[in-house]
Amino acid sequence: MSRLAATFEQLSKTGRKALIPFVTAGDPRPDFTLPLMHAMVEAGADVIELGVPFSDPMADGPVIQRASERALEHKMSLRRTLAIAAEFRKTNQQTPVVLMGYVNPIEAMGYEDFANAAQRAEIDGVLTVDLPPEEAEECVALLKARDIDPIFLLAPNSTDERIKKMDAAGSGYLYYVSLKGVTGAGHLDTADVETKLKQIRANTRLPVAIGFGVKDAQTAKTVAGLGDGVVIGSALISKVEANPDDPERAKREIIELLVAMRQAMDS
Amino acid sequence: MTEKYNMPDERGHFGPYGGMFVAETLIPPIQELNAAYQRYLNDPEFMAELDADLKHYVGRPSPLYHAERWSRELGGAQIYLKREDLNHTGAHKINNTVGQALLAKRMGKTRIIAETGAGQHGVATATVAARLGLECVVYMGAVDVARQSLNVYRMKLLGAKVVAVESGSKTLKDALNEALRDWVTNVDNTFYIIGTVAGPHPYPAMVRDFQAIIGREARQQCLDQAGRLPDALVACVGGGSNAIGLFYPFIDDSSVKMIGVEAAGDGIETGRHSAPLCAGRPGVLHGNRTYLMEDDDGEIIETHSISAGLDYPGVGPEHAWLKDTGRAEYVNITDTEALEGFHALTRMEGIIPALESSHAMAYTMKLAPTMKKDEIIIVCLSGRGDKDMQTMAQREGIEL
């Protein structure tokens, strides 16, 4: 069983929901990420989504765009992101790591080389924002052959047919993008999410993580009541942005927010 | 070629290029758009309305002009200019925006968005939006806003909101990113009019089909005026919409050479250029697989060209395919050479070309003397140079 499947099964047995922080690798500088990953696990993270910086992050709002820009200034890359993940795995065998990014850095490396490198780094899942199932066949086959879960997105306007397609192509979990827009935008509408989740559940048995628009502990708690996991990204990265000269303080603030979310989700 | 050219396939692939590389939220609107485009392309009423608009509003057909003096001066092939600069708004861009705006209207969309580089597509979009009474927002890189301020003013006069994009390299690619972000946020009421043959399927095919009027007219005009097909076609390539518009109706005419001219900026060897077909490699950006300017890690690198309209790190996927199959040839022209082309056409024929089109003119100056006097080159004069007066004056140290 994959590390992701095991994690969601274990959570489901204890009636808890997955807390899934997203951070961009190398933001604000390369040596910040590894200790942050370990600290996030201590704060209660169940899965870590590690963002691969890209020069043209079309689906991201300004906060994550700037995180990519900061990381790229320090020459962060897919290769170096994989190296961080491999380093993390040396001392943490439990927590699944999901790479999240855009397809071009993977194309540049070559699908097969990437799949091999991800396997060596013991990556558990790969979420490629701009690679829908129609274009993903080759990549998905290579990942699945190495027991790496391809994670797909669902959107508020996804039809039954699309959800079934994601269910067939994906594994690990499905990521429900809870609002039409880019990361970090607006506030999600709980009633809308609840309605959509019913439709999604009717078409898949995969766990569903919900992201986009989760800003605080209260929202995390509400969303946790609807899905199997909560993804939080921009709200964490804005702590990095708010403390440009004090990364340690940024880290403390990220951890405080995650601890508050964990408590709210478990209460 | 014995088999008739029939690209793309139903999922928008030109061989390994093209496709639909977008985030999930954009899949439903793209499918909706594709369905509408397939339906109306075969709808006689829609096509009649489009034809009427192209004739009475855009001013088509545009002339095919025999540049006799320039041809004599260069001493080789006969040069014919396809005068897209004479269209309403001054460039070929409006052929496409008229078509897409009619589609938007049929689809019940009330809001139009667009990206623009030189501002020609932005102006052409703001124009059709004004005419149809639709809300219009145009995304433009902050660098381009500064170097094309005249077009920014034109768009504002036409009632469009112009958003200066401050992210990334602040040019056309970043404007496209921002327009995609807007679309993902406002998918319900918004129609995204992409200005070139890039983006996810069906845009590359749809924009080509709307621009193919250039080549259809030119082919017939050449037969009428010269009694034969041309020997070569020359057009500048940024995203590549005027080039594909000219080339497409000639693809099955194997005797007609097709040459796309990319922007070499300071020179290919300097790395400061916008020539992905000549010096890039395949990758995925803005919804399709094509040749890109990127580093070894797959990060898109900054491009350079004196012409804002060619300053783009990608190129339409169909051009990538035509390059690989050898059906078209792609060459490049530096900023300095483009300026020579600009002055030559201006002084020899009394026509001031856009800096984008000047790249095609500059290559024609190299090509024509190598050909025989009874051979024919059709060059796409994709836009007029009025918008570039500030850039030219600045470059030549003149105060306006």
Side-chain angles (χ1 to χ4, degrees):
Chain A
M1 188 186 291
S2 79
R3 217 178 259 120
L4 275 169
T7 299
F8 278 101
E9 193 181 277
Q10 186 58 33
L11 283 166
S12 138
K13 274 186 196 155
T14 53
R16 294 166 78 234
K17 303 300 171 70
L19 176 60
I20 311 178
F22 167 96
V23 291
T24 300
D27 172 38
R29 41 172 220 235
D31 63 3
F32 184 71
T33 304
L34 181 62
L36 177 64
M37 290 170 77
H38 287 301
M40 291 195 302
V41 173
E42 270 176 50
D46 300 293
V47 176
I48 292 176
E49 286 188 357
L50 194 54
V52 182
F54 182 50
S55 52
D56 294 81
M58 290 160 303
D60 285 300
V63 171
I64 295 180
Q65 285 174 47
R66 289 192 292 260
S68 256
E69 286 176 13
R70 285 191 296 270
L72 289 172
E73 273 170 32
H74 294 281
K75 303 277 174 225
M76 185 48 59
S77 62
L78 176 54
R79 253 169 245 285
R80 294 181 72 190
T81 304
L82 286 163
I84 291 173
E87 204 55 37
F88 173 79
R89 188 59 76 221
K90 280 183 185 165
T91 50
N92 180 320
Q93 287 298 320
Q94 287 77 46
T95 312
V97 174
V98 172
L99 286 189
M100 182 166 179
Y102 294 80
V103 72
N104 199 50
I106 297 177
E107 290 245 337
M109 189 182 277
Y111 286 153
E112 187 155 9
D113 285 355
F114 166 71
N116 289 335
Q119 185 179 33
R120 280 196 301 275
E122 294 187 59
I123 295 293
D124 301 285
V126 175
L127 196 172
T128 313
V129 177
D130 54 350
L131 195 66
E134 286 81 357
E135 304 286 356
E137 269 172 44
E138 185 187 349
C139 195
V140 162
L142 288 162
L143 292 174
K144 283 191 169 169
R146 289 159 182 78
D147 292 324
I148 299 171
D149 292 312
I151 316 285
F152 285 97
L153 298 173
L154 291 171
N157 49 4
S158 295
T159 57
D160 284 348
E161 188 198 342
R162 293 295 299 173
I163 300 167
K164 288 195 177 94
K165 200 169 235 174
M166 305 304 173
D167 176 67
S171 57
Y173 60 96
L174 293 172
Y175 184 144
Y176 176 58
V177 172
S178 56
L179 47 84
K180 290 174 190 159
V182 293
T183 50
H187 286 274
L188 54 82
D189 184 323
T190 314
D192 286 353
V193 175
E194 196 169 355
T195 313
K196 194 70 191 180
L197 257 287
K198 281 189 191 129
Q199 185 199 354
I200 294 172
R201 299 284 196 203
N203 290 289
T204 182
R205 296 181 66 183
L206 286 172
V208 181
I210 302 172
F212 281 38
V214 183
K215 289 182 162 61
D216 50 35
Q218 188 50 47
T219 323
K221 182 182 167 65
T222 312
V223 168
L226 304 171
D228 305 297
V230 181
V231 185
I232 170 159
S234 297
L236 300 181
I237 289 175
S238 60
K239 307 290 183 193
V240 176
E241 196 154 85
N243 298 287
D245 304 316
D246 194 349
E248 279 311 307
R249 182 166 164 191
K251 190 168 134 190
R252 278 201 308 279
E253 290 182 3
I254 287 171
I255 298 309
E256 277 165 23
L257 181 53
L258 285 177
V259 167
M261 287 183 160
R262 180 81 268 171
Q263 282 171 352
M265 284 164 63
D266 292 347
S267 67
Chain B
M1 218 178 282
T2 48
E3 213 168 294
K4 222 169 140 49
Y5 182 84
N6 183 26
M7 285 285 190
D9 70 15
E10 61 183 24
R11 276 173 25 194
H13 294 109
F14 302 87
Y17 304 108
M20 227 169 54
F21 294 84
V22 293
E24 189 54 28
T25 316
L26 284 181
I27 295 282
I30 281 172
Q31 287 175 337
E32 182 193 354
L33 171 64
N34 195 27
Y37 153 68
Q38 299 296 348
R39 175 178 159 201
Y40 289 115
L41 207 68
N42 298 308
D43 175 37
E45 208 174 295
F46 178 86
M47 292 313 289
E49 190 176 348
L50 176 61
D51 286 345
D53 277 0
L54 289 173
K55 182 174 178 192
H56 301 294
Y57 188 66
V58 175
R60 302 205 72 91
S62 70
L64 182 71
Y65 167 68
H66 185 187
E68 288 183 72
R69 184 167 179 238
W70 200 31
S71 304
R72 243 191 339 268
E73 162 86 8
L74 292 171
Q78 300 307 304
I79 300 165
Y80 285 77
L81 303 173
K82 182 57 177 163
R83 297 291 308 274
E84 294 300 300
D85 61 317
L86 293 177
N87 292 337
H88 179 41
T89 72
H92 71 291
K93 292 294 184 187
I94 197 153
N95 302 330
N96 169 49
T97 60
V98 161
Q100 288 200 48
L102 285 183
L103 257 189
K105 203 173 79 173
R106 290 284 205 284
M107 292 170 72
K109 303 292 181 184
T110 56
R111 182 171 176 271
I112 298 284
I113 58 169
E115 85 295 338
T116 197
Q120 290 304 108
H121 173 59
V123 168
T125 302
T127 298
V128 295
R131 178 166 175 251
L132 297 177
L134 301 170
E135 184 190 348
C136 179
V137 178
V138 178
Y139 292 92
M140 189 168 185
V143 169
D144 294 335
V145 167
R147 63 179 163 176
Q148 300 286 350
S149 57
L150 213 56
N151 270 343
V152 174
Y153 183 56
R154 289 168 82 192
M155 287 184 266
K156 286 182 180 165
L157 282 175
L158 289 160
K161 183 180 163 204
V162 180
V163 179
V165 178
E166 298 283 353
S167 59
S169 60
K170 304 183 174 63
T171 58
L172 179 54
K173 83 171 172 74
D174 311 285
L176 233 152
N177 289 339
E178 212 51 41
L180 284 166
R181 289 178 188 124
D182 179 311
W183 198 23
V184 112
T185 309
N186 302 294
V187 289
D188 295 332
N189 70 343
T190 298
F191 189 105
Y192 180 14
I193 299 189
I194 293 187
T196 191
V197 284
H201 179 65
Y203 283 103
M206 179 173 72
V207 176
R208 173 198 71 193
D209 290 346
F210 286 135
Q211 290 293 2
I213 183 97
I214 301 173
R216 278 201 305 276
E217 285 178 5
R219 194 173 182 283
Q220 191 55 49
Q221 288 165 324
C222 191
L223 289 172
D224 293 345
Q225 294 174 31
R228 51 176 293 230
L229 287 175
D231 300 283
L233 308 174
V234 177
C236 66
V237 176
S241 68
N242 88 84
I244 214 78
L246 177 63
F247 294 173
Y248 184 60
F250 290 93
I251 285 185
D252 289 323
D253 298 317
S254 56
S255 67
V256 181
K257 278 182 71 174
M258 309 193 304
I259 303 159
V261 186
E262 292 196 302
D266 291 344
I268 297 287
E269 69 288 351
T270 66
R272 284 174 49 78
H273 60 82
S274 304
L277 288 168
C278 293
R281 61 174 183 162
V284 172
L285 181 69
H286 294 147
N288 67 94
R289 185 181 286 120
T290 187
Y291 280 82
L292 297 177
M293 306 261 302
E294 60 174 20
D295 66 15
D296 290 343
D297 293 321
E299 307 293 345
I300 306 306
I301 55 179
E302 260 186 57
T303 54
H304 171 81
S305 169
I306 189 170
S307 71
L310 302 183
D311 207 347
Y312 179 66
V315 61
E318 192 160 17
H319 285 294
W321 175 241
L322 292 175
K323 171 193 158 75
D324 282 11
T325 58
R327 179 63 190 94
E329 181 190 350
Y330 295 88
V331 298
N332 56 84
I333 283 291
T334 64
D335 287 354
T336 309
E337 291 171 322
L339 292 178
E340 286 166 19
F342 175 94
H343 286 298
L345 190 69
T346 302
R347 297 299 288 267
M348 293 305 297
E349 295 289 349
I351 298 171
I352 303 179
L355 283 173
E356 291 75 17
S357 322
S358 297
H359 287 71
M361 301 307 146
Y363 187 74
T364 300
M365 290 166 71
K366 293 185 179 182
L367 179 66
T370 69
M371 293 169 66
K372 295 191 212 106
K373 286 200 170 101
D374 60 353
E375 290 185 308
I376 295 172
I377 304 174
I378 295 181
V379 193
C380 191
L381 177 44
S382 55
R384 67 181 183 219
D386 305 43
K387 70 179 173 60
D388 296 311
M389 290 302 106
Q390 282 169 318
T391 308
M392 287 301 295
Q394 204 177 12
R395 176 107 179 180
E396 309 201 326
I398 296 160
E399 216 166 297
L400 291 182

